[in-house]
Amino acid sequence: MTLGRLALRNMLRSKRRTLLSTAAIVVGVMYLILGQAFVGGIEEGIVQAAEDGMTGHITVRVDDYPTTGLSHPVDDLLTLTPAAKALLDDDARVAAWVERTVFVATLSTGDDSLRIRAIGAGARDAEVFQRTTWTVEGRVPETAEQGALLGAGIGRMLGIGVGDRVILRTRTHAGAINALDVAVAGLVQTGNMALDGTTAWLPDALARDLVRAERPTHVGVRLKRRGQAPAFAEALRAAVGDGADVITVQEETAELLRMQQIRRNALNILVGVLLAMSALAIANTILMAAHERVREVGTLRAMGMTRRRIVALFVTEGAIMGGLAGLVGLGVGGLGAWYFSENPIDLGALMQGVDYGNIQFSAYLYTAFDPGAMVLPFVIAASTAVLASIYPALLASRLEIADAVRAE
Amino acid sequence: MSDRTLLKLALRNATRRPMRTALTAGMVVAGTALLVICLSWLQGMFGPMLRDATNAAGHVAVRQQAYVEREQLMPLYENLPETAPLVQIIRQQPGVVDVQPRIATGGTLTIGEEIGEVFGLVDGASKAYFTERQNLDADLVAGGRWFEDDAEEMVLGAKVAEEAGAKVGDEAVLLGATQDGSLSPIKGRVVGIVSAGSGAIDRSIYIPLARARWMTDIPDGAIELLVYGADYEDATALAATLSAVPALSELAVQAWSTRPPWSQMGPMVDGIWAFLVFVTIFLAALGIWNTMMMSVLERTDEIGVLRAMGLRRRGAVGLFVVEALVIGVVGSLVGVAVGAVPAWYLATHGIELSEQVTANMGGQFPIRTTIKAALDGGIFASAFACGLLMALIGSLLPAIRAALISPVTAMRSGR
Amino acid sequence: MAICELKGATKTYGSGATEVHAILGIDLTIDAGEFTAFVGPSGSGKTTLLNQIGCLDSPSAGSVHIRGKATAGLSDVKLAGLRAEEIGFIFQSFNLIPVLTAAENVELAMSLAGQDGGHDAALALLAEVGLEGLGGRRPNQLSGGQQQRVAIARALVKKPSIVIADEPTANLDSDSGRAVLDLMRALNEKHGTTFLFSTHDPMVVDYARRVVTLRDGAIVSDERRGAAS
C-alpha cells in the first residue's frame, strides 16, 4: 500500500474540484510551450529571412554601408583581395559564394513609378541565397536579354505581368543617370514580406550595365552550417583587409532578436502570474481537502502514521495534480506547437497592403517545435503544485489526534 | 431576511475560513494585477503610436478615389486640383477642428554640386501642420528652427541629413517630379533637422506647401486634405459627417481606422486585449467557483435551516453572490495596487528599442525608440471592474446550487 | 502481567483560573487479556483516560507506562511509533479511509506497522472477521456492522497489546452490535488481545469482565466479574 496510491485516490475523490484548480496550470503550461514555440519560430523566421534574403551566412560589403531604409549606394565598390578570394575558394567550410551588385532603381511603367532595390545576381546566387520558399511565375532570367525577375508585390502594385516591359532608371557608379528598357521575365513570391514589395533580381550582366560598374557591391557566402559563421568571419576579416566589412547573419539579426527578448519577457510575466494563480488554486484545494479529511488524518495518525508521512501524503496529492495538469498542458501546447510548425500562418496574406518597412521577416509565422524545450515548463508546473501544497499539508499534520478521530 | 442581515451574514461567512478566503482573493489579486500590467503596456505601446500616426495622417483623410486605390505608388496625378473651396466647406462642418492640405511624394536631396542619391519622403504642408498637429518642432536638433510658410526653406529628418551630410544653414537642392512625371528640382535652405528616433520621421524632408505645389506642378491643389476633430477616437463619426457633404461625394473620405495598416492592425490588437481579459477572468472565475462550491456544499445544512426559517431562494443566491463580491472587491483593490507597481515602473522607465529596429519600421508605424507603459484611471477602473466580474461569474453557479437546496433534504442530511 | 500501568495520571487543559482537570491522579493497572469497559457520564474523563492509554496524548502529571515504557515527554515520532507497535483503535464512526477498499484499508495498516503481508494476508484477516469475498468493496458499499468488522481486522493486523474501542456499537443496530461484540470476545479469547471500551451501551457493559466507572476525572468504582455473561 503505497503513499502514492492513496494520494492518487484522494485526488480523484472530487474530480470537479481537481479539474477546476488545475485549469490554471494547464493554461499556464500551454501558454509557455506555445508562446516559446512561436517566439522561437519568429526568431528562426528572422534569421532565415536574412540568410535567404540579403545577408546569407556572411556578407562582405564596403565600409560604412547604410543599414536603414531602402538605401544602397554604388559610389564605392568592393574589391576582394587575392587572400580573401583564396580563402573563399579553398576553405572547406564554404559551401558557395557569389558576387552581387545591389542598387536602388526607379522602376517605371510609364504611368507610375516605384523605388525598388535591384540585385544583380551571379550564376551561383541560388546556392548562396536559397530559394526553397520561392514561387516563381514565368522564369528566373539568366541572360540580360531575358530581363528582370520582380517581387510579386511590385507586380501587383504597378499592375505588371510576365512579358511586360518596364523602364529601370538608376544612378551609375560615376554619378550619372542611366535608364534601360527591360523585359519582365518573371514574378516571384519569396516568402519574405520585405523583399516581395521592394526587390527585383537581375542577371549580373544587366545590373552592371545599368550602374556601369566593373566590380560588385556585395559578396554573399554560404557555409556548410550557420553556426560556423562567427569563426569563419574572423578569418575572412583578416583576409579582406581595410575598406570592407564582414557581417555575419548573427550580427545582422542581433538587434531584431533583442526585440524578441522583450516578447519572451512579456510571456514569462504572463505565465508567472498564471502559475501564481494556479499555486493559489492548488493551495486552496489541498486546504479544503485537509479540512474535509480531518477524521481520516486523525485515524491515520492514531494508526501510527508520523506527521512527516501525513505531509508527504498531501504534498504527493498536490504533486500528482500538478504533474497531470502539466501533462495535459504539455499535450495541448505541444500539439499546437507541432501543428503550427507544419502549417505556418500566412502573414503575407494577412498583412497585404501594409507598409511593413524594411524589416526582413518571413511571411510565414510558424513555431519552432522542440520537445526538449517542453521539459522545463512541466517541471515548473509540478514544483509549483508541490510548493503550494506544503502549507495545507503542514496544517493537516498538526491536528490534535484525539479530537480529529471523533470529528464529524 | 432583511438586506442588512443578509449582508452581515455574508460578511461573517467570508471571514469564517480566513485562509480559504485569502487564497481565493489571491486569485482575483493576481488576475487584476496582470490586467493592470498588460493593459497599461498595450496602451503605452499603441496609444502613442496611434496618436503619432493619426496626427500625421489626419483623423480623416479626403483624397481622390483613384489615389486611394494606388496609395502605395503615391500617384501625383490623382490630386485634388482646387483645395481652397474644399477647405472652406469642410471647416464649416460640425466637429472639425482643423484642415490641412498636404502633398506627399518622394525626392532625392543634394547638398552642394554633385547629384545626390539620398532619397527621402517629401512632406509638403503648412508650418502649422508640422508644429501644431505633429509637434515636430519638439524633436528639432539644437540650433534649428521650423521653416516659414512663404520662404525657400526646408527641414530634414536626421537620417536624410546624416546621409547627405547636411547641416543647418546649407543650401540644398531637392529633386522631385511634377504630376506628369518630369523631373523637377527646387532649392531651399536647410533651417532645421528633426531627430525623433522613428523611421518615418527621420527619413522625411519637410517643405512648405507652396514649394511642394511648385515642385509637383499642382499650383492650387494638394494630394490630400487631412481633417482633425477633437479626438482621434471620434474619427469614424467625423468621417460619416464629411461623407454626407455633397461637395465631397465624389471623393474618398476615410477615418484612420479604416485605412491600412490600422484596418488590419486594429482587429489584431483588439483580439489580443480580448483574449487576455477573457483568459484571466475565466481562470480567476474558475478558482472562485471552486471555493464557493465548497462553501455551498459545506453549508448545505445551514442553508436548509435558513430556508426552513423562510429564507427565499433569491436570498440564498444573494448570500453567496454577496460573499463572492466581498472577496472580489477586496481582491481587485489589492490587485490594482499590486499591478500598479510594475506598471508604474514600466511607465517611468520604459523599454529601449534599438534604432535599427525603429528606423526600419514602415512609415505607417511611427514607433519611438523608448516604449513606455501608460497608466491612467481608465485602466485601473477597467481592471477593477474585471475583478468584480471574475467574482460574479465565479459565484453564479454555486449560488444557484445553493438556491436549489430544499429545506427538507438539508434538514435530513444533518447528523 | 500488567500491560499498562497508570500512577497518579493527570491531564490538565488550560491554565490559571480556567484550568480544568480532565483526569486527576488516576491509578490503574491493566493486565494482558482483559476485556474492560470504561463507563461514566459525558465529561467524566473516560475518553481522556483512553487517549492516555492509547498514546494519543501524554499525561501532564503522573505517569503512564505501556509495556513498561513511559509515555510522558515522548516526541511525536516516538509516540507514533508506540501506537504503531502496541495499540489498535476501533472508532464509533468506523473511520475507514473511504477511497480505499476493505482489503486496502487493512493493507495500509499493515504497511504502517512495517509488515509485508500483502493482499493475501489482508484477505485472510478479513476472512477471520467474517468478511470472506468482500475485500474488494469500498466502505460505502458495506453495512455498518461490516465496516466495523473491517475496522477490527485493521486494528488487529499488528497483533497489538491493546485495542481501544471508542463506543464501537453506538452507530450499529443491536443485532450488528451483538455480532461485533461476539467477534471481539472471540478474538480476545483466541489471541489474548486486551480490549478496552469506552461506552454508554449497557450491552457492552454486559459483555465486559471488568467495569471501571469514572466521574469528574476520577475512578469511583472498579468491578471485576469472574465469568462472562
Side-chain angles (χ1 to χ4, degrees):
Chain A
M1 189 74 239
T2 62
L3 204 65
R5 214 155 112 206
L6 186 54
L8 182 66
R9 294 270 176 85
N10 275 334
M11 192 199 86
L12 294 176
R13 206 152 152 175
S14 165
K15 294 188 188 68
R16 178 186 52 81
R17 193 202 294 168
T18 306
L19 230 58
L20 288 183
S21 53
T22 50
I25 283 207
V26 172
V27 175
V29 170
M30 197 181 78
Y31 271 17
L32 199 56
I33 288 175
L34 211 53
Q36 270 185 348
F38 266 114
V39 174
I42 293 174
E43 277 177 7
E44 180 56 28
I46 287 172
V47 177
Q48 195 74 49
E51 194 174 293
D52 294 344
M54 295 296 297
T55 312
H57 284 152
I58 289 177
T59 283
V60 186
R61 63 192 182 202
V62 294
D63 253 351
D64 296 327
Y65 200 76
T67 57
T68 63
L70 193 56
S71 183
H72 296 284
V74 290
D75 304 303
D76 297 316
L77 299 175
L78 191 65
T79 311
L80 273 190
T81 60
K85 253 190 186 123
L87 186 65
L88 288 171
D89 282 335
D90 300 338
D91 198 290
R93 287 170 288 185
V94 178
W97 67 281
V98 71
E99 293 183 343
R100 277 184 154 191
T101 308
V102 183
F103 57 99
V104 175
T106 303
L107 187 150
S108 159
T109 57
D111 293 334
D112 294 306
S113 57
L114 188 71
R115 262 167 58 84
I116 62 160
R117 170 197 294 121
I119 298 176
R124 302 190 69 189
D125 205 70
E127 291 172 52
V128 178
F129 301 92
Q130 305 219 324
R131 297 173 178 176
T132 47
T133 56
W134 277 26
T135 317
V136 178
E137 185 198 338
R139 64 160 162 188
V140 180
E142 280 153 19
T143 63
E145 291 71 43
Q146 287 171 356
L149 177 72
L150 303 186
I154 299 175
R156 201 169 42 239
M157 275 186 274
L158 292 171
I160 302 169
V162 175
D164 289 353
R165 298 195 78 83
V166 294
I167 294 166
L168 279 177
R169 193 179 72 222
T170 187
R171 196 166 154 275
T172 65
H173 170 53
I177 301 278
N178 190 17
L180 279 179
D181 183 47
V182 172
V184 177
L187 293 169
V188 61
Q189 202 111 39
T190 61
N192 177 333
M193 292 195 284
L195 291 184
D196 280 359
T198 57
T199 305
W201 287 261
L202 318 176
D204 210 23
L206 179 59
R208 291 194 183 179
D209 193 23
L210 260 165
V211 293
R212 305 268 174 215
E214 300 299 321
R215 285 170 287 127
T217 58
H218 291 68
V219 164
V221 185
R222 187 170 188 92
L223 304 173
K224 299 257 161 59
R225 284 183 298 106
R226 183 192 293 161
Q228 295 167 328
F232 185 72
E234 274 313 305
L236 196 55
R237 246 170 227 139
V240 296
D242 296 341
D245 267 347
V246 177
I247 315 289
T248 63
V249 67
Q250 289 88 352
E251 289 162 354
E252 187 71 19
T253 52
E255 287 297 336
L256 278 176
L257 293 187
R258 218 173 63 82
M259 212 166 145
Q260 287 308 103
Q261 195 52 47
I262 298 176
R263 263 191 205 126
R264 263 183 210 282
N265 290 342
L267 179 69
N268 289 342
I269 292 176
L270 184 72
V271 170
V273 172
L274 285 181
L275 284 180
M277 274 168 92
S278 48
L280 291 168
I282 286 187
N284 213 341
T285 302
I286 304 278
L287 193 66
M288 287 181 209
H291 276 307
E292 247 175 27
R293 295 183 213 146
V294 165
R295 203 173 70 197
E296 261 172 80
V297 172
T299 308
L300 289 171
R301 295 268 289 128
M303 284 162 68
M305 202 181 254
T306 56
R307 280 191 178 153
R308 196 176 296 183
R309 299 262 286 166
I310 298 284
V311 172
L313 183 64
F314 280 95
V315 171
T316 307
E317 191 176 334
I320 296 177
M321 232 187 253
L324 284 181
L327 272 183
V328 174
L330 198 93
V332 178
L335 208 67
W338 171 80
Y339 178 82
F340 286 112
S341 71
E342 302 283 314
N343 308 282
I345 300 169
D346 187 354
L347 285 181
L350 220 63
M351 302 276 283
Q352 229 176 61
V354 175
D355 173 11
Y356 28 73
N358 200 27
I359 300 261
Q360 305 279 323
F361 182 70
S362 165
Y364 297 102
L365 179 59
Y366 60 92
T367 50
F369 181 64
D370 175 11
M374 298 179 186
V375 177
L376 190 65
F378 178 72
V379 172
I380 291 176
S383 13
T384 304
V386 167
L387 285 177
S389 47
I390 286 178
Y391 171 75
L394 282 176
L395 274 190
S397 78
R398 287 187 188 142
L399 290 170
E400 277 301 326
I401 309 166
D403 300 332
V405 289
R406 295 177 184 94
E408 288 205 348
Chain B
M1 193 164 28
S2 78
D3 287 351
R4 254 188 75 195
T5 327
L6 190 79
L7 188 67
K8 210 189 269 175
L9 189 57
L11 270 171
R12 294 270 166 83
N13 278 340
T15 52
R16 201 150 141 180
R17 291 214 189 278
M19 196 60 202
R20 182 196 296 176
T21 305
L23 287 175
T24 311
M27 299 199 57
V28 180
V29 169
T32 318
L34 180 71
L35 284 178
V36 168
I37 298 170
C38 290
L39 295 187
S40 66
W41 177 247
L42 278 172
Q43 178 124 328
M45 186 143 113
F46 289 101
M49 207 202 278
L50 274 182
R51 207 165 32 248
D52 284 355
T54 53
N55 281 342
H59 297 172
V60 176
V62 179
R63 297 172 295 182
Q64 294 284 4
Q65 201 71 52
Y67 184 88
V68 173
E69 282 159 18
R70 351 184 53 180
E71 195 173 340
Q72 287 160 309
L73 299 172
M74 299 181 150
L76 281 172
Y77 51 86
E78 305 288 4
N79 55 43
L80 308 168
E82 290 281 344
T83 50
L86 288 178
V87 168
Q88 196 122 48
I89 293 167
I90 294 173
R91 271 191 200 286
Q92 286 160 4
Q93 303 306 316
V96 173
V97 172
D98 195 6
V99 185
Q100 293 289 347
R102 176 180 181 230
I103 295 177
T105 179
T108 49
L109 189 80
T110 306
I111 304 289
E113 293 306 306
E114 203 184 346
I115 301 175
E117 215 223 2
V118 179
F119 181 83
L121 289 163
V122 178
D123 206 345
S126 72
K127 178 184 182 185
Y129 166 70
F130 296 110
T131 58
E132 285 165 29
R133 286 291 135 223
Q134 297 199 60
N135 207 17
L136 278 182
D137 46 345
D139 294 321
L140 275 171
V141 171
R145 62 172 172 83
W146 207 261
F147 62 67
E148 293 303 329
D149 279 334
D150 47 2
E152 293 193 1
E153 296 173 342
M154 61 176 76
V155 173
L156 302 181
K159 279 279 159 209
V160 173
E162 182 193 324
E163 279 171 31
K167 345 177 263 304
V168 171
D170 282 353
E171 286 294 337
V173 175
L174 177 61
L175 184 63
T178 63
Q179 60 163 312
D180 58 17
S182 34
L183 292 178
S184 166
I186 58 163
K187 275 192 187 172
R189 177 198 294 277
V190 178
V191 294
I193 292 169
V194 281
S195 175
S198 145
I201 294 171
D202 294 353
R203 289 223 139 263
S204 290
I205 297 165
Y206 303 95
I207 59 176
L209 182 64
R211 304 293 292 153
R213 281 176 166 170
W214 198 86
M215 183 176 87
T216 54
D217 192 24
I218 309 174
D220 303 306
I223 293 300
E224 55 193 348
L225 292 176
L226 308 180
V227 186
Y228 296 86
D231 188 345
Y232 69 81
E233 304 267 12
D234 306 329
T236 314
L238 187 61
T241 311
L242 294 182
S243 296
V245 175
L248 306 178
S249 60
E250 301 284 302
L251 302 173
V253 179
Q254 291 178 304
W256 60 270
S257 53
T258 63
R259 292 161 51 187
W262 306 108
S263 50
Q264 281 131 323
M265 286 289 291
M268 233 149 114
V269 175
D270 288 349
I272 297 173
W273 278 61
F275 186 71
L276 262 178
V277 170
F278 173 77
V279 168
T280 316
I281 291 183
F282 177 73
L283 287 178
L286 280 186
I288 291 176
W289 178 20
N290 201 1
T291 323
M292 294 310 286
M293 202 60 137
M294 279 308 301
S295 300
V296 170
L297 293 179
E298 223 177 54
R299 295 184 211 144
T300 301
D301 303 358
E302 239 175 276
I303 309 274
V305 172
L306 287 173
R307 295 267 287 119
M309 284 160 61
L311 178 74
R312 286 193 290 178
R313 282 189 197 285
R314 208 190 304 160
V317 170
L319 201 56
F320 285 95
V321 171
V322 170
E323 184 178 340
L325 276 182
V326 171
I327 295 175
V329 169
V330 175
S332 310
L333 280 177
V334 177
V336 166
V338 168
V341 177
W344 173 83
Y345 180 84
L346 281 175
T348 48
H349 291 70
I351 290 178
E352 292 286 328
L353 293 180
S354 95
E355 203 156 301
Q356 197 193 334
V357 172
T358 57
N360 273 329
M361 283 302 266
Q364 290 157 327
F365 297 100
I367 288 190
R368 303 273 174 140
T369 41
T370 307
I371 300 185
K372 290 180 172 178
L375 263 187
D376 62 42
I379 287 170
F380 289 141
S382 46
F384 182 77
C386 287
L388 288 191
L389 202 62
M390 295 170 203
L392 260 183
I393 294 176
S395 67
L396 222 55
L397 280 175
I400 291 170
R401 172 74 167 263
L404 292 179
I405 292 172
S406 95
V408 186
T409 41
M411 296 292 275
R412 209 177 284 150
S413 85
R415 295 184 190 101
Chain C
M1 188 191 85
I3 199 164
C4 169
E5 250 189 312
L6 287 79
K7 282 192 184 135
T10 300
K11 184 69 191 178
T12 313
Y13 294 106
S15 61
T18 59
E19 195 174 71
V20 176
H21 300 292
I23 51 172
L24 185 58
I26 294 220
D27 296 318
L28 184 70
T29 305
I30 291 165
D31 293 322
E34 280 196 19
F35 203 77
T36 301
F38 290 80
V39 296
S42 293
S44 61
K46 57 183 191 303
T47 301
T48 308
L49 178 60
L50 286 179
N51 286 349
Q52 293 292 330
I53 298 171
C55 305
L56 292 177
D57 213 344
S58 48
S60 320
S63 69
V64 177
H65 285 82
I66 305 294
R67 276 187 180 272
K69 283 175 228 152
T71 61
L74 283 187
S75 73
D76 178 69
V77 176
K78 289 256 173 63
L79 272 181
L82 208 53
R83 284 197 300 274
E85 279 170 29
E86 306 287 354
I87 318 286
F89 287 94
I90 293 167
F91 304 99
Q92 174 180 351
S93 329
F94 326 130
N95 288 19
L96 298 178
I97 307 298
V99 292
L100 299 180
T101 62
E104 285 168 343
N105 264 286
V106 177
E107 279 179 66
L108 175 66
M110 286 175 161
S111 83
L112 282 174
Q115 298 176 4
D116 298 327
H119 197 63
D120 292 339
L123 288 180
L125 257 173
L126 284 175
E128 194 177 343
V129 298
L131 293 175
E132 290 95 344
L134 298 180
R137 293 208 186 169
R138 294 265 179 113
N140 59 6
Q141 297 165 317
L142 295 170
S143 73
Q146 289 169 329
Q147 287 189 50
Q148 198 61 299
R149 281 161 188 270
V150 177
I152 293 169
R154 183 177 70 176
L156 289 177
V157 283
K158 52 198 170 187
K159 312 226 164 7
S161 319
I162 303 170
V163 172
I164 292 176
D166 184 14
E167 302 272 14
T169 55
N171 281 344
L172 299 176
D173 59 69
S174 58
D175 283 348
S176 306
R178 198 173 299 281
V180 163
L181 282 168
D182 280 335
L183 173 64
M184 289 197 273
R185 171 69 72 75
L187 292 166
N188 169 256
E189 281 162 6
K190 184 173 167 197
H191 301 296
T193 312
T194 310
F195 280 83
L196 304 181
F197 301 90
S198 144
T199 190
H200 289 107
D201 186 351
M203 187 166 73
V204 178
V205 178
D206 282 350
Y207 269 77
R209 290 211 201 83
R210 177 182 178 189
V211 179
V212 179
T213 311
L214 287 102
R215 179 155 306 184
D216 298 332
I219 295 173
V220 292
S221 86
D222 186 351
E223 172 195 352
R224 284 172 197 264
R225 300 169 181 171
S229 58

